[in-house]
Each structure stands twice: as structure tokens, then as C-alpha cells.
Amino acid sequence: MDIDAAFITGANRGIGLELVRFLAANEFAHQKATRVLAACRCPEERAEELQNLAHQYPNIEIIKLDVEDWSSIETAAKKADELCGKGGLNLLVNNAGVNPMDSLKSGFHFQPSDMELAVRINTLGPIQMTKALLPVLRRSAKMTSNGKTIVVNISSTAGSIKHVASNYKLGNLIPYRVSKAGLNMASACMAEELRADGIICFSLHPGWVRTDMGGQKAPLSVQESVASCLKVIKNLTIQDTGSFLSYDGEVLPW
Ligand code: NDP
């Protein structure tokens, strides 16, 4: 699958920034430059590395976006609509995410405000983004054959109910776990909504990765994670829609 135009949320650091680097540098799709719409909350203040990348690669467009804010999403979607033209958008990666730090404390330190924040960003954000970008995604789906237009929701094994007992000791993370389990359900529902358009939607666990969120003890570098994730994305077919996959292609339990 060629990626002609991609939209990445949370593109100023971590996994999102590396996705932008790979796609813009064409390390993944060798044939022609991918137009990369790199969205982040504060392009002027907390996005120096992304700004440098955009100077290096003219196929990067930086877009201001807060996935908690519907008017910001609408403005970003309008910009994507203009930039993508009649070819539309064939890859949306809903990557922006938070893990409220209070949830890392041991004991039942559950705070409703942490849950609200995690759900707004990790669960509602990807649904709202997909809804706002749907006309641009549909344009791509109409121009190509089935399965060439993809919505990727970056999830986590922390959101797998089957895995809770085995990985709970790594951190209770209740708000994060609930928000990612909700995102998994959203992926399955959106896959059904988008099936008739030939648009794939699925949840992808990027592995445990050395980022601000993953910490320095994580086994995977961002480069390793992103290279594997893009391989999974490249090999998807419409039969994979509605699934929950790991960065190494393994099918994960819900
Ligand atoms: P980081 O903490 O390094 O980066 C998070 C990104 O999300 C930042 O760009 C941040 O922007 C952005 N973001 C947060 N809130 C918003 C918002 N309201 N609007 C727009 N952008 C926002 O995390 P990672 O790169 O590690 O994680 C990326 C994704 O991968 C997340 O969804 C995470 O849950 C998932 N994941 C990560 C794992 C890991 O081990 N690292 C494991 C499993 C899943 P800002 O700089 O403005 O805060």
C-alpha cells in the first residue's frame, strides 16, 4: 500500500514525531513522497524538533490541533481538506494520548478528573478526529480500491481486559486502561461504520516504547516501534478491519 497523504496527531514528540519522520523521509513508501500533515497542540512553543523536520522535508505541513477541542478539530480538518485536494487522505493515525500521572501511584489513588482527561483525549479524541476527517478519508477511498484508506487508533495492551491480571503489577493505571479499552470498542464500532466505504479502522499497540510516556526502561526505541507499526499498516487488508493488532502483527485479545 502506498501512503499518499497521512495525518498524524500528537506529532511533536514520541511515537508521533517518529511516524512523521519515517513517512516524510520516505523510508517506508519508497515510490513517492508522502504528504504528511503533522498535528500538534503548540506548534510555536513545544515543537522545535518537528519544526526542524518541516524545514528539512517540504512534504510536512504542521497543523495546530488540540484533540480535546471540537472547534480546533474542525479547523484542522478544514485545513486537511484544502491540503489533500481531490486525492483525499489515505492514512489517519490517532496517536495523541495521555496517561494521567496520578494513576501511577500505588493503592487506589483513583481521581475522577484523571479519568475524564484520559477519556477526553484517548477515547473521544480519535472518534471526533475520524468524524471530522471522514469526508477527506472518503475521497481517498473512492479513488482507490478497498483497504487503501486506513484509520489507525494507537491503543495499548493496557486496554486489553484479558491482559489485566498479568500486567496489573506494572501499574494500576485505571483511567488509562479504561480509556484505551473504550478506544478499542470505538475502533470496532468505527470499523463497522466505515466498512461500506472500504475504509479500514483498527487498534494498534505500538509496543512498550522509550518515550516520555513509556519511560527509559522500555525495551523498544521509537524507531523500532514505528518501523514495525508501519509494516503492519502496509500489510493490512479490508479483512483486518475492526481488529486489535500489536506492532509485530500479532492479533491481541480484547
Ligand atoms: P508521549 O507522551 O511521548 O507523546 C504524547 C503525544 O500526545 C504528545 O505529542 C502530546 O502533545 C500529544 N497530546 C496529548 N494530549 C493532546 C491533545 N489534547 N491534543 C493533541 N495532542 C495531544 O507518548 P507516546 O509517544 O509514548 O505515545 C503515543 C501513543 O502511543 C499514545 O496514544 C500512547 O497511549 C500510546 N502507547 C504508548 C506506549 C509507550 O510505551 N510509549 C505503549 C502503548 C501505547 P503535547 O506535547 O502537546 O503534550
Side-chain angles (χ1 to χ4, degrees), residues 1-2 4 32 86-90 137-150 197-199:
M1 173 212 168
D2 294 340
D4 299 319
K32 60 175 180 167
K86 61 180 186 335
L89 180 72
N90 75 325
L137 290 161
R138 278 196 174 125
R139 225 150 59 216
S140 156
K142 272 199 187 126
M143 305 263 300
T144 53
S145 53
N146 261 4
K148 303 294 181 203
T149 305
I150 301 178
D197 293 301
I199 300 174

Side-chain angles (χ1 to χ4, degrees), residues 10-16 40-42 46 65-68 94-98 121-122 154-156 176 180 205-214 218:
N12 58 315
R13 59 191 169 100
I15 294 168
C40 62
R41 278 197 277 208
C42 301
R46 297 202 302 267
L65 169 74
D66 182 342
V67 303
E68 281 188 81
N94 286 312
N95 162 77
V98 284
I121 295 176
N122 299 348
I154 301 293
S155 184
S156 169
Y176 184 71
K180 292 293 190 183
H205 167 61
W208 184 15
V209 190
R210 290 191 294 279
T211 62
D212 293 338
M213 188 188 290

Side-chain angles (χ1 to χ4, degrees), residues 12 42-55:
N12 58 315
C42 301
E44 309 306 332
E45 287 156 38
R46 297 202 302 267
E48 205 183 324
E49 246 188 289
L50 178 60
Q51 292 285 2
N52 291 340
L53 263 190
H55 282 126

Side-chain angles (χ1 to χ4, degrees), residues 6-218:
F7 190 114
I8 316 292
T9 70
N12 58 315
R13 59 191 169 100
I15 294 168
L17 178 66
E18 197 58 28
L19 275 166
V20 172
R21 196 192 313 274
F22 261 71
L23 290 168
N26 240 358
E27 288 176 49
F28 167 57
H30 295 283
Q31 297 88 341
K32 60 175 180 167
T34 302
R35 177 183 280 267
V36 187
L37 312 187
C40 62
R41 278 197 277 208
C42 301
E44 309 306 332
E45 287 156 38
R46 297 202 302 267
E48 205 183 324
E49 246 188 289
L50 178 60
Q51 292 285 2
N52 291 340
L53 263 190
H55 282 126
Q56 200 180 342
Y57 298 108
N59 52 338
I60 298 177
E61 290 283 345
I62 300 179
I63 294 182
K64 190 172 167 65
L65 169 74
D66 182 342
V67 303
E68 281 188 81
D69 175 357
W70 176 246
S71 73
S72 169
I73 292 175
E74 273 190 316
T75 307
K78 198 159 168 264
K79 181 107 186 144
D81 192 14
E82 289 160 12
L83 288 168
C84 289
K86 61 180 186 335
L89 180 72
N90 75 325
L91 177 66
L92 164 61
V93 184
N94 286 312
N95 162 77
V98 284
N99 181 6
M101 292 313 281
D102 268 1
S103 67
L104 289 168
K105 289 180 191 159
S106 58
F108 209 141
H109 280 283
F110 177 79
Q111 298 290 343
S113 56
D114 283 348
M115 175 73 91
E116 285 159 12
L117 182 72
V119 169
R120 272 201 313 276
I121 295 176
N122 299 348
T123 317
L124 189 54
I127 300 173
Q128 296 282 67
M129 283 304 302
T130 308
K131 179 176 137 187
L133 285 168
L134 196 50
V136 203
L137 290 161
R138 278 196 174 125
R139 225 150 59 216
S140 156
K142 272 199 187 126
M143 305 263 300
T144 53
S145 53
N146 261 4
K148 303 294 181 203
T149 305
I150 301 178
V151 176
V152 184
N153 293 321
I154 301 293
S155 184
S156 169
T157 46
S160 164
I161 293 170
K162 179 94 189 286
H163 278 162
V164 171
S166 61
N167 67 19
Y168 202 71
K169 59 182 178 309
L170 297 175
N172 45 9
L173 316 177
I174 293 174
Y176 184 71
R177 288 176 185 280
V178 171
S179 68
K180 292 293 190 183
L183 176 62
N184 286 348
M185 176 58 91
S187 291
C189 294
M190 290 196 286
E192 292 312 313
E193 293 286 342
L194 303 179
R195 193 186 288 274
D197 293 301
I199 300 174
I200 294 174
C201 177
F202 78 113
S203 280
L204 178 62
H205 167 61
W208 184 15
V209 190
R210 290 191 294 279
T211 62
D212 293 338
M213 188 188 290
Q216 286 314 300
K217 286 188 188 147

